[in-house]
């Protein structure tokens, strides 16, 4: 795995991109302070992508789930685009309003002290200009990283979107995880996936996310042939974190799985209460006082 090729890539400052919409009304000193904080969090996020010692992320969808993730020990909070969309009454799949998506990330960032990496679907924009605007606003909201999916678009089309995203936020401000959907929605072809990864890294991606690829032989081949930190999506039955670590994976994500499980509790509780009149579905809940204290512990 030639991760060092990417890790050692020079990072060129772009101060015009760093002072973004969310900071324009602040005094100059506060703009600098916020920029430094964003840079530090992005550097921390980058440093945690270690092949063989993966960053493990149980994705959050609102401020409360983000605080729970941080309190439970997660060094980074990642959002799930599906969970965020569902919590706001929209289906997953590029239907959520950009303003709502940005506001959700802003609330998550305000709730935690660790870096936040935001799943922005395919960029909440019809073209590269729209993607760049989304990225600028996500960084202004405090995001230290993003996932940007290719949706199996033609490579040149996605590269244009990724290039715009990179131009909107330099590497020292934002870790860009380029998601390749070949195993999730496409051919499942290794050669195509590797080719896409190479093009995306050349366009400025920092990491590569290949959801749907869990076969150990496939994962090992991806690790060997992609010169960047590899992110794998997991679910019950997928290889364990330990097994993926041995293969050289650098990031493991639960994606929308935790949100799906939380909503399943809601459905079970309703059905149980309406049918048997009992309440065992909520027996393992976090105690009211604990959760209320967690949310109100003095964070901004």
């Amino acid at each position: 795995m030639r991760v060092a090729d990417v890790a050692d890539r020079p990072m060129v400052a772009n101060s015009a991109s760093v002072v973004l919409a969310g900071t324009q009304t602040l005094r100059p000193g506060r703009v600098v302070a916020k920029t430094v904080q964003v840079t530090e969090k992005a550097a921390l996020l980058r440093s945690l992508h270690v092949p063989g010692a993966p960053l493990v992320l149980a994705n959050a969808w609102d401020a409360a789930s983000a605080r729970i993730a941080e309190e439970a020990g997660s060094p980074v909070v990642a959002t799930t685009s599906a969970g965020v969309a569902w919590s706001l009454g929209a289906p997953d799949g590029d239907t959520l309003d950009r303003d709502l998506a940005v506001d959700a990330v802003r609330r998550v960032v305000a709730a935690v002290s660790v870096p936040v990496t935001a799943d922005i679907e395919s960029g909440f924009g019809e073209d590269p200009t729209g993607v760049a605007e989304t990225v600028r606003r996500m960084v202004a909201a405090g995001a230290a990283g993003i996932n940007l999916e290719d949706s199996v678009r033609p490579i040149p089309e996605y590269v244009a979107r990724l290039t715009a995203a990179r131009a909107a936020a330099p590497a020292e401000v934002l870790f860009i995880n380029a998601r390749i959907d070949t195993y999730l929605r496409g051919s499942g072809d290794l050669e195509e996936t590797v080719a896409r990864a190479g093009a995306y890294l050349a366009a400025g991606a920092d990491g590569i996310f290949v959801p749907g690829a869990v076969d150990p032989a496939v994962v090992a081949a991806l690790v060997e042939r992609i010169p960047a930190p590899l992110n794998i999506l997991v679910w019950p039955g997928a290889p364990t974190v330990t097994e993926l670590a041995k293969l050289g994976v650098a990031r493991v994500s639960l994606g929308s799985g935790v949100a799906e499980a939380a909503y399943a509790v809601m459905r079970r509780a309703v059905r149980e209460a309406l049918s048997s009149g009992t309440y065992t579905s909520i027996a393992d809940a976090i105690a009211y006082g604990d959760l209320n204290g967690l949310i109100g512990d003095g964070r901004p």
Side-chain angles (χ1 to χ4, degrees):
M1 172 114 183
R2 301 179 300 281
V3 176
D5 295 344
V6 176
D8 293 339
R9 188 169 58 209
M11 296 185 293
V12 180
N14 183 348
S15 59
S17 297
V18 174
V19 181
L20 302 165
T23 63
Q24 289 174 349
T25 60
L26 299 177
R27 295 191 300 274
R30 293 184 66 189
V31 172
V32 171
K34 183 169 183 177
T35 300
V36 170
Q37 183 184 45
V38 168
T39 302
E40 290 175 348
K41 288 186 174 181
L44 175 57
L45 174 60
R46 185 180 303 276
S47 73
L48 293 171
H49 287 77
V50 180
L55 173 63
V56 180
L57 299 171
N59 302 64
W61 60 95
D62 61 8
S65 57
R67 281 291 294 121
I68 291 168
E70 181 184 36
E71 189 272 339
S74 184
V76 171
V77 167
T79 66
T80 158
S81 64
V84 169
W86 296 334
S87 73
L88 296 172
D92 189 29
D94 295 309
T95 65
L96 185 64
D97 177 78
R98 177 200 282 151
D99 290 342
L100 292 177
V102 172
D103 285 345
V105 170
R106 184 177 294 110
R107 287 192 294 272
V108 167
V109 169
V112 300
S113 59
V114 297
V116 172
T117 178
D119 188 331
I120 65 168
E121 303 192 30
S122 61
F124 300 114
E126 294 184 0
D127 54 24
T129 300
V131 174
E133 174 62 17
T134 297
V135 169
R136 283 191 288 268
R137 292 182 62 182
M138 287 292 178
V139 175
I146 59 168
N147 280 2
L148 182 64
E149 63 192 59
D150 69 359
S151 303
V152 205
R153 284 182 165 86
I155 292 176
E157 182 181 339
Y158 179 78
V159 163
R161 297 170 73 85
L162 177 58
T163 300
R166 179 81 289 163
E172 69 266 27
V173 169
L174 190 73
F175 185 97
I176 298 180
N177 205 29
R179 188 179 114 175
I180 302 176
D181 286 339
T182 46
Y183 283 87
L184 196 63
R185 332 178 164 174
S187 64
D189 182 72
L190 176 65
E191 296 302 324
E192 179 187 356
T193 304
V194 171
R196 285 177 177 271
Y200 299 169
L201 292 172
D206 300 294
I208 298 295
F209 183 21
V210 187
V214 293
D215 179 85
V218 171
V219 173
L222 292 171
V223 168
E224 174 62 28
R225 298 185 60 185
I226 296 175
L230 180 68
N231 185 184
I232 294 296
L233 179 69
V234 293
W235 54 84
T240 65
V241 171
T242 299
E243 291 167 336
L244 291 171
K246 290 178 180 178
L247 294 173
V249 171
R251 177 164 160 177
V252 176
S253 302
L254 275 66
S256 62
V258 181
E260 291 169 22
Y263 291 128
V265 171
M266 179 64 182
R267 182 165 65 182
R268 285 197 300 272
V270 171
R271 289 177 174 174
E272 180 187 0
L274 293 176
S275 59
S276 66
T278 57
Y279 326 106
T280 58
S281 297
I282 59 173
D284 295 326
I286 298 175
Y288 171 87
D290 292 342
L291 186 54
N292 201 50
L294 187 64
I295 303 305
D297 68 354
R299 294 187 184 278

